[in-house]
Amino acid sequence: LKVQTDSAWFAARPSGTEDVYKLYAESLRGEEHLRQVQDEARAVITAALGDA
């Protein structure tokens, strides 16, 4: 899954070796915005996985 906006993006994929997912993210607006993107990405992923 990859989500992209004008000022940020995140991508998530299952790990190939563990029962977890990998989250990659980048913000073009700074560290605080990056943390917001990461938090919101985790919420989207958790909702998609049904709290798995």
Side-chain angles (χ1 to χ4, degrees):
L1 167 71
K2 183 173 183 180
V3 176
Q4 187 168 344
T5 68
D6 290 338
S7 60
W9 65 267
F10 78 85
R13 68 170 183 82
S15 170
T17 58
E18 302 173 276
D19 189 22
V20 297
Y21 64 88
K22 305 280 185 164
L23 175 63
Y24 305 90
E26 180 179 31
S27 168
L28 303 177
R29 294 181 7 197
E31 289 294 320
E32 185 174 331
H33 184 243
L34 176 60
R35 283 190 293 278
Q36 180 184 358
V37 169
Q38 291 169 326
D39 290 344
E40 292 178 12
R42 285 186 195 98
V44 167
I45 294 162
T46 298
L49 295 176
D51 294 328

